[in-house]
């Protein structure tokens, strides 16, 4: 997982230690030795995570975090406070100024890497959503409301999965000022309860009797309906290894027993705000884009949306120095389908093709109808070798089963040719990228169709 991490500490030895650990995991590391320097770097560079020491002369970590979170340009960068302070009041203060997580010195290497990877994964998903909302604005749609301001009150609904009565009664009572807590004492029923409910957060005890809490977390992350639902684990002091595993699965946050009620409330408040913020962004994207930038036949984004979004995704990949691949997919002999079976049958083929294409891709990928029988897939954070494998999966999915038309009365064999090209460096352009993918597509056609060809540049 490639990401750019800023390490901020006024003690050079601490900086070098964190830098070495992170670089061993192939992260790109920037460093700063003071609060003002950290703020300057965050403004000038594209940072994915800030590891921020609290005890620094002049401007301490709390003030740096508060300034980062107050600035619209940097408020979305996750901040992990690295500190020798281990009192709940210190963590509450950090959460109040916007910190996303904490590491206590001496820093455990397992915890460091797990938390960084988890926050990078969450940030990338949020970045993609924000970029799509930005595309709306650039195309002239109404500005979105400031959703962060809208949810300052952040009253929400949480499900607590805990089979110890003394524990869940105390937790529910501590949150009752701001959160409506529903208790599920039977963990085997929790998955259905969560999937059917309208919750802003799920809190899960790691010490459920006779039940694997982390399996429940994994199931929640695998279901479409609960994939973006925040998960907060309630752990025992000796649960460090399981907490690391939980973060790898996709758990958002945790708190250790004995639970400090003020810290718990602060962590829950943060997760509810993020959930509401993400929900609002998704709704804004859906509502404003649905008609103007959606292809009416296939339900995919159209060429107008593609060209605006592709430019944003392209620039972001350049800034991060990360991979990006473009696929152009063209249905083979589509004109003959229209000529032989009629345009209604051709439309049915296009709709089924779009459905199969979307099913073969990741949620991070953007698939658009480029025009006629051509479709384009934008694949951020994806190199050619991975993209080629995905393109082959698409090709096999299309060719493996005939397309049914005329209410199932006819079956048509359909194949697809795919051209692939990846971003080549700082001198590349969107136009060149499209041209290379298009050239690869025509090579696939010349070589007999029903194949994937990668740009050989």
């Amino acid at each position: 997982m490639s990401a750019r991490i800023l390490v901020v500490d006024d003690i050079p030895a601490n900086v070098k230690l964190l830098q070495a650990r992170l670089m061993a995991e192939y992260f790109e590391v920037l460093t700063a030795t003071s609060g003002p320097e950290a703020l300057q770097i965050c403004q000038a560079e594209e940072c994915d995570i800030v590891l921020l020491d609290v005890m620094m002369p002049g401007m301490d970590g709390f003030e740096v975090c508060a300034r980062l979170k107050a600035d619209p340009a940097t408020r979305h960068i996750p901040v992990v406070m690295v500190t020798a302070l281990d009192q709940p009041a210190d963590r509450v203060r950090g959460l109040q100024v916007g910190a996303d997580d904490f590491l206590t010195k001496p820093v455990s290497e397992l915890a460091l890497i797990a938390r960084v990877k988890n926050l990078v994964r969450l940030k990338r998903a949020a970045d993609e959503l924000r970029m799509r909302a930005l595309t709306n604005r650039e195309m002239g749609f109404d500005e979105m409301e400031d959703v962060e301001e809208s949810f300052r009150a952040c009253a929400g609904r949480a499900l607590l999965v805990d089979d110890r009565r003394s524990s869940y009664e105390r937790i529910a009572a501590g949150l009752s000022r701001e959160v409506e807590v529903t208790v599920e004492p039977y963990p085997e029923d929790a998955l259905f309860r969560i999937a059917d409910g309208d919750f802003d957060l799920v809190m899960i005890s790691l010490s459920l009797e006779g039940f694997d809490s982390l399996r429940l977390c994994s199931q929640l992350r695998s279901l479409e309906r609960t994939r973006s639902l925040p998960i907060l684990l309630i752990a025992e002091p000796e649960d460090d290894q399981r907490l690391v595993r939980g973060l790898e699965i996709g758990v958002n946050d945790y708190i250790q027993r004995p639970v400090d009620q003020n810290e718990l409330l602060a962590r829950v408040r943060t997760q509810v705000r993020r959930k509401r913020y993400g929900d609002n962004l998704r709704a804004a994207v859906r509502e404003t884009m649905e008609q103007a930038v959606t292809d009416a036949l296939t339900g995919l984004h159209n060429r107008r949306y593609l060209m605006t979004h592709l430019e944003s995704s392209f620039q972001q990949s350049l800034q991060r120095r990360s991979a990006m691949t473009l696929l152009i997919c063209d249905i083979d002999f589509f004109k003959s389908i229209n000529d032989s079976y009629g345009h209604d049958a051709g439309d049915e083929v296009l709709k089924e093709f779009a459905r199969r294409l979307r099913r073969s891709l990741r949620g991070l990928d953007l698939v658009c109808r480029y025009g006629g029988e051509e479709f384009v897939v934008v694949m951020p954070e994806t190199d050619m070798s991975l993209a080629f494998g995905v393109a082959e999966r698409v090709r096999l999915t299309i060719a493996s089963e005939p397309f049914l038309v005329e209410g199932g009365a006819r079956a048509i064999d359909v194949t697809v040719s795919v051209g692939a090209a990846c971003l080549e460096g700082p001198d590349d352009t969107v136009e060149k990228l499209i041209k290379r993918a298009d050239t690869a597509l025509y090579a696939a056609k010349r070589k007999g169709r029903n194949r994937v060809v990668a740009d050989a540049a």
Side-chain angles (χ1 to χ4, degrees):
M1 179 185 295
S2 175
R4 183 179 293 179
I5 315 297
L6 173 62
V7 176
V8 188
D9 198 312
D10 62 314
I11 300 175
N14 292 344
V15 172
K16 289 181 179 178
L17 180 61
L18 286 174
Q19 185 178 30
R21 289 178 175 179
L22 292 165
M23 290 180 68
E25 295 291 326
Y26 303 102
F27 291 112
E28 180 182 352
V29 181
L30 305 176
T31 63
T33 56
S34 70
E37 185 184 4
L39 294 173
Q40 184 178 10
I41 290 174
C42 287
Q43 285 286 349
E45 303 283 348
E46 184 81 16
C47 297
D48 292 300
I49 302 282
V50 177
L51 296 181
L52 178 61
D53 184 37
V54 171
M55 305 301 290
M56 294 187 294
M59 186 186 297
D60 67 14
F62 293 124
E63 185 177 350
V64 175
C65 184
R67 293 194 184 194
L68 287 172
K69 295 301 182 177
D71 187 342
T74 58
R75 68 170 51 150
H76 303 301
I77 303 174
V79 175
V80 180
M81 306 199 86
V82 184
T83 175
L85 303 174
D86 60 357
Q87 295 301 309
D90 299 316
R91 291 194 292 271
V92 170
R93 184 182 175 193
L95 289 164
Q96 287 172 342
V97 297
D100 296 85
D101 212 332
F102 296 85
L103 288 169
T104 302
K105 297 178 181 177
V107 176
S108 158
E109 186 164 350
L110 278 175
L112 170 69
I113 300 306
R115 290 180 186 184
V116 166
K117 286 183 177 179
N118 179 54
L119 286 171
V120 168
R121 182 171 59 248
L122 293 172
K123 181 178 182 290
R124 292 288 165 80
D127 282 350
E128 180 67 15
L129 197 56
R130 278 193 295 274
M131 184 162 43
R132 295 193 185 192
L134 178 62
T135 301
N136 291 6
R137 293 185 182 135
E138 292 175 348
M139 296 180 69
F141 294 107
D142 291 338
E143 291 284 326
M144 290 191 309
E145 62 178 319
D146 187 340
V147 291
E148 302 233 33
E149 291 292 334
S150 300
F151 296 120
R152 285 199 182 277
C154 73
R157 298 185 66 239
L159 183 76
L160 171 59
V161 185
D162 193 341
D163 54 6
R164 288 162 50 187
R165 183 168 184 167
S166 60
S167 170
Y168 66 66
E169 286 183 347
R170 184 168 182 270
I171 289 172
L175 294 174
S176 60
R177 285 177 288 161
E178 293 189 14
V179 181
E180 177 189 337
V181 178
T182 301
V183 176
E184 178 50 76
Y186 302 104
E188 58 273 11
D189 297 332
L191 183 63
F192 302 102
R193 188 82 175 268
I194 297 165
D196 291 340
D198 183 22
F199 296 106
D200 297 301
L201 170 72
V202 57
M203 298 177 288
I204 303 173
S205 170
L206 257 183
S207 51
L208 297 170
E209 187 173 352
F211 192 88
D212 187 348
S213 305
L214 293 184
R215 183 172 298 279
L216 175 58
C217 296
S218 178
Q219 290 170 331
L220 290 173
R221 285 293 169 259
S222 67
L223 294 176
E224 181 67 29
R225 184 175 175 81
T226 57
R227 192 164 294 157
S228 60
L229 181 66
I231 301 173
L232 186 149
L233 289 178
I234 302 166
E236 303 294 338
E238 64 272 13
D239 280 335
D240 284 355
Q241 291 292 327
R242 298 186 70 211
L243 282 174
V244 168
R245 184 69 184 122
L247 290 167
E248 291 172 347
I249 290 170
V251 167
N252 300 74
D253 200 0
Y254 67 87
I255 190 168
Q256 289 185 311
R257 301 182 195 272
V259 173
D260 179 83
Q261 296 295 334
N262 289 324
E263 181 182 354
L264 176 62
L265 183 58
R267 290 186 181 277
V268 167
R269 185 185 295 128
T270 297
Q271 294 304 322
V272 170
R273 281 179 180 167
R274 286 187 192 154
K275 168 67 162 50
R276 297 286 181 86
Y277 177 64
D279 288 349
N280 193 274
L281 271 178
R282 291 183 189 92
V285 170
R286 283 194 302 267
E287 290 170 11
T288 58
M289 301 296 288
E290 193 169 82
Q291 294 184 349
V293 295
T294 300
D295 176 62
L297 179 65
T298 63
L300 300 176
H301 287 305
N302 60 19
R303 182 170 184 155
R304 180 187 179 196
Y305 181 84
L306 167 70
M307 298 312 296
T308 306
H309 180 80
L310 178 57
E311 183 64 43
S312 299
S313 187
F314 186 88
Q315 292 302 325
Q316 188 173 82
S317 295
L318 285 178
Q319 289 172 354
R320 288 177 170 169
R321 294 194 280 275
S322 61
M324 185 181 83
T325 303
L326 189 76
L327 306 179
I328 301 182
C329 310
D330 187 274
I331 300 175
D332 295 327
F333 302 113
F334 184 72
K335 184 177 182 300
S336 68
I337 294 175
N338 278 333
D339 292 344
S340 301
Y341 302 98
H343 287 278
D344 287 345
D347 286 350
E348 290 184 69
V349 168
L350 288 170
K351 286 190 284 189
E352 174 62 13
F353 181 90
R355 188 188 69 80
R356 295 191 193 184
L357 181 58
R358 196 160 32 193
R359 190 180 65 195
S360 302
L361 299 169
R362 308 167 300 178
L364 186 64
D365 303 324
L366 177 74
V367 54
C368 301
R369 186 180 178 193
Y370 197 50
E373 66 272 25
E374 278 194 339
F375 297 77
V376 169
V377 181
V378 182
M379 306 181 73
E381 303 287 336
T382 309
D383 60 20
M384 180 61 81
S385 121
L386 177 57
F388 193 91
V390 173
E392 269 294 314
R393 184 170 71 229
V394 168
R395 185 188 68 79
L396 291 170
T397 298
I398 298 304
S400 63
E401 189 177 341
F403 284 50
L404 301 179
V405 299
E406 298 177 7
R410 290 179 179 271
I412 303 175
D413 290 324
V414 177
T415 61
V416 63
S417 298
V418 183
C422 62
L423 191 157
E424 291 186 347
D427 296 328
D428 208 353
T429 66
V430 167
E431 292 74 18
K432 291 177 182 176
L433 179 65
I434 294 174
K435 179 65 176 176
R436 292 197 303 276
D438 201 44
T439 300
L441 171 64
Y442 278 99
K445 296 285 188 182
R446 287 195 307 272
K447 292 178 180 179
R449 295 177 168 81
N450 189 24
R451 67 190 64 231
V452 178
V453 171
D455 169 51

